[in-house]
Amino acid sequence: MAKSHSQFICQQCGAAYQKWTGRCAKCGAWNSLVEESIENIASEKNAVSRGQTSGKTLKFTSITKLESSDQRDRLQTGFPDLDEVLGGGILMGSVSLLSGQPGIGKSTILMQICAHISETKDVLYVSGEESAGQVKLRAVRLGANSDRLKFASSNSANDIAKTIEGGEFDLVIVDSIQTLALAEISSAPGGISQVTNCGNLIIRAAKSSGTAVIIVGHVTKDGTLAGPKVLEHLVDVVLNFEGDRYGGFKVVRAVKNRFGSTSEAAIFEMRQSGLAEVKNPSAALLSERQNTDGSIILATLDGTRPILVEIQALVSPTSFGYPKRTSSGFDLNRLGLLIAVLERRTKLKLGDKDIFVNVVGGLKIQDAAADLAICLALASAAAGRKLSEDFVVFGEVGLGGEIRSAFRPDQRISEAKKLGFAHAIAPATIKDPFVIPVKDLRTTLIDYVNE
């Protein structure tokens, strides 16, 4: 039999196989194997052995004699909250990676950033996905009409890197990395080799010329950044664009940031004129609230920003043998744990009930202090009794039914006072006249939901 001249490489983890399989046995990714020539793989291995003899000794100097970059030389995006997420703006010479679901607004927010920066700086928008006519329509709608904003359509990473090296532009947008191809690599665009090497080439060009670059990346069906993980390590900033693509609030948060904190978040709302920052998300989320049973106001944190959000719960007798558990905006596994705690530590019986939990506004809550609000919402819905509309709730619930402390309680309390709430049902460890202290879940339900 003729010897095979190709291998199948997983585009997620890099594992090699002699035959194509639908699923990678190493990382579990489906349809991620791409055929690559063995000659190309062998040449890469030979390059390592040749590199051992071609290297030169590095020139080094004392760290006290190094010149630090000026952190004040940043480009302002036009969105103060987004600048805060970036650590003060887009640093010159930095490379940022922006990812998000299709249609969530990545191209919209980038065009708005281009419109603001191009008033005083030279900006280049490179599109590998859309035609010039499509980009023109978006630019007109968003008011990007400066002569200093240039457009180019290209899928060649070589050409884009050469343009960046020229140093003619202060900011370059590359939309997107999965559509680019390096001429020296024969594999298709979007593969692990193409994405890694195209990213490397663009990053080198940005660092050598001092040009700020923003790269758009695709995401997988579970919301994680598509392509090799090494791309996230190469860039300086990784931004995630989260939220519901059809409505509700959209959140931009930094997963990685070499120039600032990763605990900040910018909240946006899509309007006809483009994305707009939500200055007071708490008031917007509570503006249409009706105080009914199963409705609880949670004082939570999105990054370091305090937000009051409504938690809604619906409990009804099940019509099937196995009760249904549905959650929107809250982790379903965590919901199951809290239901088990309620049944074990209180007299509440939920084993024969369908349970539905919703976080209003399309937000996704990952705060451990949301436990108490979820439990009170479930108890309120099951008993048919509502909590006083003057209360906000926060606190973590342990497996023993105890109420544990929450992160940054002062900011939560301050936000509740601004919106006119009278008290907060919160852990007893917080010493504040505004707080009604609670120690365990059973006593809390008896006192405030009349279990």
Side-chain angles (χ1 to χ4, degrees):
M1 295 179 61
K3 188 177 180 180
S4 174
H5 294 285
S6 63
Q7 284 185 345
F8 294 88
I9 308 298
C10 176
Q11 302 303 294
Q12 298 294 331
C13 64
Y17 300 88
Q18 295 298 325
K19 296 181 179 180
W20 185 88
T21 58
R23 186 182 186 187
C24 176
K26 185 175 181 180
C27 67
W30 288 93
N31 298 323
S32 62
L33 301 189
V34 174
E35 187 176 10
E36 292 188 10
S37 172
I38 288 182
E39 286 76 9
N40 292 339
I41 299 173
S43 64
E44 292 178 2
K45 293 181 179 179
N46 293 333
V48 175
S49 60
R50 293 194 301 267
Q52 292 177 338
T53 58
S54 62
K56 297 180 180 179
T57 304
L58 295 174
K59 295 181 179 180
F60 46 86
T61 184
S62 172
I63 195 169
T64 58
K65 298 180 181 180
L66 296 178
E67 296 181 3
S68 60
S69 60
D70 191 354
Q71 294 286 325
R72 297 171 297 178
D73 190 14
R74 293 177 180 262
L75 301 175
Q76 303 303 308
T77 63
F79 299 106
D81 289 345
L82 183 57
D83 290 335
E84 191 71 20
V85 172
L86 291 167
I90 304 172
L91 188 68
M92 297 301 297
S94 67
V95 179
S96 303
L97 181 62
L98 175 66
S99 67
Q101 295 287 346
I104 198 171
K106 301 187 296 296
S107 299
T108 298
I109 194 172
L110 289 177
M111 184 58 71
Q112 290 181 262
I113 292 173
C114 290
H116 178 77
I117 296 178
S118 63
E119 294 178 358
T120 56
K121 304 288 185 178
D122 294 313
V123 180
L124 174 63
Y125 192 105
V126 182
S127 176
E129 298 179 338
E130 298 177 300
S131 64
Q134 289 175 298
V135 177
K136 173 64 176 179
L137 288 175
R138 183 184 301 113
V140 171
R141 177 171 60 88
L142 301 176
N145 53 10
S146 173
D147 290 335
R148 303 188 71 171
L149 174 58
K150 310 297 183 182
F151 171 80
S153 179
S154 176
N155 297 108
S156 172
N158 307 70
D159 298 343
I160 295 173
K162 193 67 175 179
T163 305
I164 295 174
E165 285 180 354
E168 299 179 20
F169 300 96
D170 299 284
L171 173 66
V172 175
I173 308 293
V174 180
D175 187 6
S176 65
I177 188 67
Q178 271 78 14
T179 64
L180 302 186
L182 201 64
E184 291 76 12
I185 299 177
S186 59
S187 59
I192 184 171
S193 298
Q194 287 286 14
V195 171
T196 303
N197 288 283
C198 290
N200 256 314
L201 190 63
I202 292 174
I203 291 170
R204 289 182 182 181
K207 299 298 183 182
S208 63
S209 62
T211 304
V213 176
I214 300 179
I215 302 173
V216 178
H218 294 173
V219 295
T220 60
K221 62 181 179 180
D222 59 351
T224 58
L225 189 65
K229 199 71 175 178
V230 67
L231 183 61
E232 297 184 51
H233 293 284
L234 290 173
V235 299
D236 301 309
V237 181
V238 179
L239 300 175
N240 274 2
F241 210 156
E242 307 168 354
D244 187 357
R245 57 186 292 190
Y246 300 109
F249 291 154
K250 307 176 193 302
V251 181
V252 177
R253 64 177 80 251
V255 179
K256 171 189 176 182
N257 192 351
R258 289 174 177 165
F259 316 116
S261 172
T262 57
S263 60
E264 301 294 339
I267 301 177
F268 295 91
E269 184 180 19
M270 182 64 78
R271 299 175 182 172
Q272 187 175 2
S273 59
L275 287 164
E277 283 186 335
V278 181
K279 297 300 181 182
N280 192 348
S282 298
L285 290 168
L286 302 181
S287 60
E288 300 176 350
R289 186 211 178 195
Q290 296 181 356
N291 189 23
T292 60
D293 60 90
S295 175
I296 300 293
I297 303 301
L298 165 67
T300 185
L301 293 175
D302 195 338
T304 58
R305 168 185 279 189
I307 298 177
L308 300 188
V309 61
E310 182 183 1
I311 304 294
Q312 294 179 329
L314 183 63
V315 178
S316 61
T318 183
S319 301
F320 306 97
Y322 187 79
K324 188 175 183 179
R325 308 286 192 249
T326 302
S327 176
S328 175
F330 188 75
D331 182 48
L332 189 59
N333 293 327
R334 186 68 179 177
L335 175 61
L337 184 147
L338 294 176
I339 293 173
V341 172
L342 280 170
E343 289 192 319
R344 181 66 179 86
R345 304 302 177 187
T346 71
K347 294 181 180 179
L348 203 59
K349 301 303 179 184
L350 302 173
D352 59 345
K353 302 291 193 302
D354 288 335
I355 294 177
F356 306 89
V357 173
N358 176 48
V359 180
V360 175
L363 295 180
K364 294 182 180 179
I365 302 297
Q366 298 178 341
D367 185 7
D371 291 352
L372 183 57
I374 296 292
C375 290
L376 288 180
L378 293 174
S380 172
R385 298 183 176 91
K386 56 186 179 182
L387 192 69
S388 172
E389 59 183 8
D390 294 330
F391 290 167
V392 297
V393 179
F394 64 91
E396 183 180 356
V397 176
L399 294 182
E402 73 278 10
I403 310 300
R404 297 179 175 271
S405 58
F407 180 63
R408 299 195 180 213
D410 296 341
Q411 293 187 356
R412 303 173 194 259
I413 294 171
S414 177
E415 184 72 8
K417 290 179 179 178
K418 287 180 184 177
L419 293 180
F421 287 89
H423 296 286
I425 299 177
T429 54
I430 303 172
K431 307 301 180 182
D432 192 294
F434 186 80
V435 172
I436 299 176
V438 292
K439 292 184 178 180
D440 65 273
L441 189 58
R442 179 180 175 85
T443 305
T444 305
L445 297 189
I446 293 174
D447 292 344
Y448 300 103
V449 188
N450 294 325
E451 180 188 15

